[in-house]
Amino acid sequence: MTLNNVTMRRTHNSSLQQQQQRWSIPADGKHLLVQKDSNEYNPQKRYTINPDDYYRRSWSSESSDSVISSESGSNCYRVVLIGEHGVGKSSLANIFAGVHDSIDSDCEVLGEDTYERTLMVDGESATIILLDMWDNKREGEWIRDHCMQVGDAYLIVYSITDRASFEKASELRIQLRRARQKEDIPIILVGNKSDLVRCREVSVAEGRACAVVFDCKFIETSAAVQHNVKELFEGIVRQVRLRRDSKEKNEKRLAYQKRRESIPKKARRFWGKIVAKNNKNMAFKLKSKSCHDLSVL
Ligand SMILES: Nc1nc2c(ncn2[C@@H]2O[C@H](COP(=O)(O)OP(=O)(O)OP(=O)(O)O)[C@@H](O)[C@H]2O)c(=O)[nH]1
């Protein structure tokens, strides 16, 4: 995989700043930047980060087709992180943004809410604007309403070590359905903290079943060991494309993915088809299987 320089920009909305002192997306789409140790915006400067420093562990697999690009593609998707307090939303956002403990750069990300990044998925660039501004506190109600309205796609995060957060995720799915009734919005249910095996309170099967019931996709991640985080963000791009773009375009992408698929993955896909053919009573199981596959609807 080739990595170019990543350009990370903070965006700012004056109304949000007034109320919450947090960073957000501007209504006019202009980007403002933050300089380390200054807390001052510098609208002229764009900070460039060497991705080798930040993506070593998670996004630099040789087998991956993801390329971090400094250019903004025309396909821009606003993705919103929602979920209970402490489930790891900001940790996932930080990985996406390339923030790392070993950070050694003149760029600093303040707050925890908006990141923009362009990545290559299935040979095409896509820009994700990631919003991590969900606020579970009572006074954050207006932010929650805002979040429910602005997303092109949603990542509903729970912690696999916290059943209450899993239940909250279901609630959020229902709220989202109410808020955006007529829209077919891509949603991925994300079971984070999968590294904490001994503290698990929610099984993979429960996560999948919930995704099937709520008609969304499902993935387990670990922000701590950076497992499946790249797959998550590539997956949400694919989910948006599957809904927005023509059938022909998506078929081409699927063919591209298949060409690049590893042999074990190809074998699993082939085996899945044989099992499905031989068992007609597997509708639920199959659906539950496909909710794991972020590259199909
Ligand atoms: N072991 C483990 N810890 C994690 C993981 N993700 C996040 N954490 C830890 O969980 C705690 C909460 O993480 P945050 O990213 O702040 O969670 P959040 O959902 O943004 O929380 P709020 O901002 O309060 O809504 C932190 O101590 C993280 O280090 C993970 O995948 N594994």
Side-chain angles (χ1 to χ4, degrees), residues 106-139:
D106 63 350
C107 172
E108 183 172 306
V109 181
L110 297 181
E112 73 268 44
D113 64 16
T114 307
Y115 309 90
E116 180 184 316
R117 186 173 171 190
T118 299
L119 48 152
M120 210 69 154
V121 181
D122 303 330
E124 291 169 52
S125 73
T127 300
I128 294 181
I129 295 173
L130 184 68
L131 273 68
D132 174 29
M133 57 170 67
W134 187 255
D135 190 341
N136 286 295
K137 294 186 208 97
R138 219 156 59 95
E139 59 273 27

Side-chain angles (χ1 to χ4, degrees), residues 22 81-95 112 132 134-137 157 159 161 191-196 221-227:
R22 300 178 90 177
L81 281 159
I82 63 177
E84 190 54 287
H85 164 74
V87 295
K89 299 182 296 298
S90 301
S91 305
L92 290 167
N94 285 342
I95 296 171
E112 73 268 44
D132 174 29
W134 187 255
D135 190 341
N136 286 295
K137 294 186 208 97
V157 188
S159 163
T161 66
N192 190 40
K193 307 200 185 181
S194 61
D195 57 295
L196 297 176
T221 58
S222 166
V225 299
Q226 302 193 8
H227 173 66

Side-chain angles (χ1 to χ4, degrees), residues 29 31 109 123 159 184 228 246 262:
H31 293 97
V109 181
S159 163
D184 177 21
N228 267 350
S246 68
S262 64

Side-chain angles (χ1 to χ4, degrees), residues 158-215:
Y158 68 92
S159 163
I160 64 133
T161 66
D162 177 4
R163 180 159 290 277
S165 74
F166 180 59
E167 280 151 19
K168 178 76 181 180
S170 306
E171 249 176 62
L172 290 173
R173 174 66 187 100
I174 293 166
Q175 282 175 28
L176 197 51
R177 186 181 278 167
R178 266 195 219 124
R180 311 280 293 273
Q181 270 176 15
K182 288 183 185 140
E183 297 168 72
D184 177 21
I185 308 169
I187 299 171
I188 302 180
L189 179 66
V190 185
N192 190 40
K193 307 200 185 181
S194 61
D195 57 295
L196 297 176
V197 184
R198 290 181 180 202
C199 311
R200 186 184 275 278
E201 288 184 6
V202 184
S203 69
V204 177
E206 284 175 291
R208 276 189 189 187
C210 181
V212 172
V213 169
F214 286 115
D215 195 20

Side-chain angles (χ1 to χ4, degrees), residues 204 208 216-220 228 287-295:
V204 177
R208 276 189 189 187
C216 60
K217 291 289 169 182
F218 172 70
I219 192 168
E220 281 202 353
N228 267 350
K287 184 120 174 68
S288 130
K289 231 178 152 98
S290 80
C291 83
H292 229 54
D293 186 348
L294 306 186
S295 60

